[in-house]
Amino acid sequence: TCTSHVCKKLFLLCFRRYCLMALTSCLFWNTFGLSAAMDSKPNILLFLADDLGIGDIGCYGNDTIRTPNIDRLAREGVKLTQHIAAAPLCTPSRAAFLTGRYAIRSGMASSNGYRALQWNAGSGGLPANETTFARLLQQQGYTTGLIGKWHQGVNCETFNDHCHHPLNHGFDYFYGMPFTLLNNCQENKPPELDVALQAKLWLYSQIITLAVLTLTTGKLTGLISIRWKITACFTLVGSLFFISWYSSYGFVHYWNCILMRNHDVTEQPMRLERTASLMLKEAVSFIERNRHGPFLLFVSFLHVHTPLFTTKKFLGKSRHGLYGDNVEEMDWMVGKILDSLDKEGLKDHTFTYFASDHGGHLEAQDGSAQLGGWNGIYKGGKGMGGWEVGIRVPGVFRWPGVLPAGTVIDEPTSLMDIYPTLVHLAGGILPQDRVIDGRNLVPLLQGRAEKSEHEFLFHYCGSYLHAVRWHQKDSGAIWKAHYVTPVFHPPGAGACYGKGICPCFGEGVTHHDPPLLFDLSRDPSEAKPLSADTEPLFDTVVRKIGRAIEEHRRTLTPVPEQLSVYNVVWKPWLQPCCGTFPFCWCDKEGDSTQSL
């Protein structure tokens, strides 16, 4: 036995030693266990939706479209509420995502009306001297794959040089569309590509045809004295004019709507009724083949871009028509791919990410039916470089045991941040010969950093700077200055209905001097612009952002414009073809789409 006094001393001594051991163990795990988990290169699974609005999924507040699988990722990981695309349109946004750099640095930002690649047979695309995250991970021993949409170009000088192809940008395997979905890819849908130009070309062709018929009739009736050679010349010129444009726009279904496996065209034109099954099968197969890792799988969805082709299993199932059906089908595909990770025992060793390339397409309509996304409380939509919903997108991360589950981060982040984040996880080194605009998100995602590394984010519309965001870290304010905004049509509509998307320059925009200024931390809907009368810091903020613009522009260097008119026009000698041009049609998939 012992006295109570001695027992107390012994108890306190043991308790202190226990606490010290527990504390040491905890520190050891946080310092070494987490480090060890990070040092063993994780598999990386990236999901990128096309045209998905931030308000379209449950974990961002939608309670009518069912997205249980994406919501599960958010519950089991980290959700970003201020995740920003570097551009409001597919081609430049994806170029920035792949390279960690604003699209203007690589020449993937346009100064004309063509702000995205228009044809598989154009000569523009992601330059060979740009280094994608796939290339850097490939160098770190990763097997890299891309399933789905590319939209970064194919060829430069010949139909098979594949200078812009995914396999020339660090991907070991590619299956999907080198282009993007369009209404033209589905029968009985109104054309989507260059609609206004096509209307003019049809009008000119009809005028020429009418002129030829008038001359011929006049000659035959004797009312017009003209030589037959002149009539024949008019006929030849008119025929050549018609052939010159109809040979491209008349066959968009064949030229743009194709599927490729690596360098080979497998479907031309593609059969949309089985495309989702093919993409899903390829993604699951890639995971199974590379389960011993490490692997990078980039699943670049064709959903939810128009024409919103949806399989029968999901048609009419949602409460939001065809668009809701398409979103729910995409979520189902996410779930199936996540199930394959679970089946292979890879869930805890896979860094998973879900986002959209830009905001929802407000102008996408079929009569009164909305075919574009819902953007929640935010202003704007796809194609708008400054307004929030052109660029604010979902951003969800999951890595069980490494990233804290159920975390919400309100700091400004960018799709460009994925580049340095993945390179860090893979143990690679960022390129030192160029500016990288993205920032490593790992400290922020783990909770080891409270603030985003971004102080300024620059919001481009094509090659035109429309707005700038300043993250004033000491006060928590998120200032945003708009120097250019689109003119909505009709006025006050919040979008450019009748134009497809809002323009970046010309008569379709308004310039602001001084800029429209908002504090997004107080006014996330950008409803009430501030002024020197209503905001004491107005002049200080505007000057600060102005200096940041000057510094940013000093980091830009001239590069060839990949989206120039010459680079985006259709060139028949560059057309990917599974036969002998122009006889380009094939179906090498057959009945390979078994239900998954």
Side-chain angles (χ1 to χ4, degrees):
T1 61
C2 64
T3 65
S4 61
H5 178 70
V6 173
C7 286
K8 286 180 181 178
K9 282 192 173 182
L10 287 172
F11 174 77
L12 289 172
L13 181 61
C14 291
F15 180 74
R16 288 171 182 166
R17 286 181 178 176
Y18 172 79
C19 288
L20 182 61
M21 289 173 62
L23 181 60
T24 302
S25 175
C26 183
L27 290 172
F28 179 84
W29 165 246
N30 284 337
T31 305
F32 297 103
L34 193 58
S35 176
M38 300 271 301
D39 288 342
S40 57
K41 298 176 181 178
N43 300 310
I44 294 169
L45 174 59
L46 309 176
F47 294 111
L48 192 65
D50 196 1
D51 289 16
L52 181 71
I54 193 172
D56 289 329
I57 50 181
C59 56
Y60 282 87
N62 193 305
D63 57 4
T64 57
I65 296 180
R66 294 164 295 187
T67 56
N69 297 293
I70 301 170
D71 298 345
R72 171 161 58 103
L73 282 177
R75 285 195 310 272
E76 297 176 353
V78 179
K79 181 179 76 172
L80 306 178
T81 63
Q82 201 174 159
H83 200 40
I84 308 300
L89 217 58
C90 306
T91 296
S93 174
R94 290 164 182 269
F97 175 72
L98 288 162
T99 64
R101 292 152 51 81
Y102 289 107
I104 195 169
R105 298 192 190 278
S106 59
M108 296 292 278
S110 170
S111 61
N112 59 66
Y114 293 108
R115 294 159 54 191
L117 293 172
Q118 303 292 300
W119 301 95
N120 280 323
S123 53
L126 190 64
N129 62 357
E130 286 295 325
T131 304
T132 66
F133 56 67
R135 174 73 69 202
L136 294 179
L137 266 64
Q138 195 179 52
Q139 293 170 0
Q140 295 300 313
Y142 276 73
T143 301
T144 57
L146 167 59
I147 309 297
K149 171 176 173 172
W150 175 237
H151 210 186
Q152 298 294 299
V154 183
N155 297 311
C156 290
E157 297 179 355
T158 65
F159 73 95
N160 61 356
D161 64 38
H162 291 178
C163 64
H164 302 307
H165 190 279
L167 268 60
N168 201 40
H169 279 293
F171 289 99
D172 296 307
Y173 184 76
F174 169 62
Y175 182 83
M177 281 192 80
F179 194 60
T180 182
L181 273 184
L182 295 166
N183 276 349
N184 305 70
C185 296
Q186 184 176 346
E187 295 180 1
N188 303 320
K189 289 285 186 179
E192 185 176 351
L193 188 67
D194 254 347
V195 176
L197 178 60
Q198 284 191 65
K200 290 180 180 179
L201 293 172
W202 269 115
L203 176 62
Y204 299 153
S205 297
Q206 290 168 348
I207 291 173
I208 293 172
T209 301
L210 181 62
V212 169
L213 290 175
T214 301
L215 291 175
T216 302
T217 303
K219 176 67 175 178
L220 292 173
T221 58
L223 295 176
I224 299 176
S225 178
I226 189 172
R227 299 172 61 183
W228 281 114
K229 286 185 177 180
I230 296 177
T231 303
C233 184
F234 266 100
T235 303
L236 178 61
V237 170
S239 299
L240 290 175
F241 173 75
F242 178 77
I243 292 171
S244 69
W245 72 264
Y246 194 77
S247 60
S248 57
Y249 289 108
F251 298 91
V252 174
H253 189 50
Y254 286 90
W255 304 150
N256 279 350
C257 306
I258 68 175
L259 289 181
M260 296 183 75
R261 176 178 283 106
N262 294 328
H263 292 295
D264 300 322
V265 178
T266 61
E267 279 190 7
Q268 192 168 13
M270 60 197 288
R271 293 173 54 183
L272 292 181
E273 66 271 14
R274 65 187 187 190
T275 300
S277 294
L278 286 169
M279 299 294 179
L280 180 55
K281 178 182 176 182
E282 288 286 340
V284 171
S285 177
F286 183 90
I287 291 172
E288 292 173 348
R289 292 196 311 269
N290 298 285
R291 59 185 176 275
H292 299 299
F295 66 77
L296 160 70
L297 175 57
F298 177 18
V299 181
S300 179
F301 287 108
L302 303 181
H303 299 66
V304 288
H305 198 291
T306 51
L308 300 175
F309 189 90
T310 307
T311 55
K312 292 182 180 179
K313 179 179 179 180
F314 291 92
L315 278 178
K317 301 297 184 181
S318 80
R319 295 165 57 184
H320 288 276
L322 187 58
Y323 182 81
D325 298 344
N326 206 240
V327 173
E328 292 188 2
E329 180 177 52
M330 178 187 66
D331 179 81
W332 172 79
M333 294 173 69
V334 169
K336 286 293 185 180
I337 296 170
L338 294 178
D339 288 346
S340 71
L341 284 182
D342 294 343
K343 178 183 175 183
E344 300 297 337
L346 299 175
K347 175 180 177 180
D348 292 346
H349 197 59
T350 301
F351 179 87
T352 303
Y353 169 71
F354 179 90
S356 177
D357 56 355
H358 49 71
H361 191 185
L362 298 181
E363 294 90 350
Q365 294 182 316
D366 184 7
S368 61
Q370 179 67 27
L371 299 180
W374 182 57
N375 298 315
I377 65 170
Y378 305 107
K379 190 172 186 176
K382 175 180 177 178
M384 303 183 206
W387 293 122
E388 197 67 359
V389 168
I391 49 179
R392 189 183 285 229
V393 297
V396 178
F397 296 84
R398 185 188 74 174
W399 187 3
V402 178
L403 302 183
T407 302
V408 178
I409 295 176
D410 297 324
E411 292 290 297
T413 58
S414 170
L415 264 69
M416 297 184 293
D417 296 339
I418 300 306
Y419 185 96
T421 301
L422 299 189
V423 174
H424 170 79
L425 293 176
I429 299 174
L430 292 175
Q432 302 299 306
D433 61 344
R434 64 198 65 193
V435 175
I436 301 297
D437 298 299
R439 299 291 183 266
N440 177 17
L441 288 176
V442 171
L444 187 66
L445 296 176
Q446 289 183 328
R448 293 187 286 115
E450 294 184 359
K451 298 293 184 180
S452 165
E453 289 188 32
H454 288 290
E455 185 176 10
F456 296 96
L457 287 171
F458 301 91
H459 306 313
Y460 281 92
C461 186
S463 60
Y464 302 92
L465 185 65
H466 274 205
V468 180
R469 178 185 312 250
W470 175 29
H471 179 206
Q472 191 177 10
K473 299 181 184 181
D474 56 349
S475 69
I478 306 290
W479 304 102
K480 189 170 166 197
H482 290 262
Y483 294 88
V484 184
T485 56
V487 177
F488 293 143
H489 179 78
C496 299
Y497 296 104
K499 293 186 177 181
I501 57 173
C502 292
C504 296
F505 62 94
E507 295 180 356
V509 301
T510 301
H511 294 263
H512 303 281
D513 185 14
L516 298 179
L517 184 67
F518 300 91
D519 180 0
L520 298 182
S521 63
R522 293 178 288 170
D523 181 18
S525 301
E526 298 173 287
K528 299 177 181 178
L530 302 171
S531 67
D533 295 329
T534 61
E535 174 53 61
L537 295 176
F538 182 89
D539 292 331
T540 302
V541 172
V542 169
R543 282 196 301 269
K544 178 77 172 180
I545 293 177
R547 288 194 295 268
I549 293 173
E550 293 175 4
E551 293 176 9
H552 168 69
R553 284 178 170 157
R554 283 196 289 268
T555 70
L556 302 178
T557 56
V559 292
E561 187 174 323
Q562 297 297 320
L563 301 181
S564 66
V565 174
Y566 174 79
N567 279 336
V568 301
V569 296
W570 184 72
K571 302 177 179 68
W573 61 91
L574 297 183
Q575 178 62 49
C577 182
C578 59
T580 301
F581 184 84
F583 306 105
C584 303
W585 56 80
C586 63
D587 180 3
K588 299 179 183 178
E589 297 297 343
D591 297 321
S592 63
T593 58
Q594 297 179 353
S595 179
L596 289 170

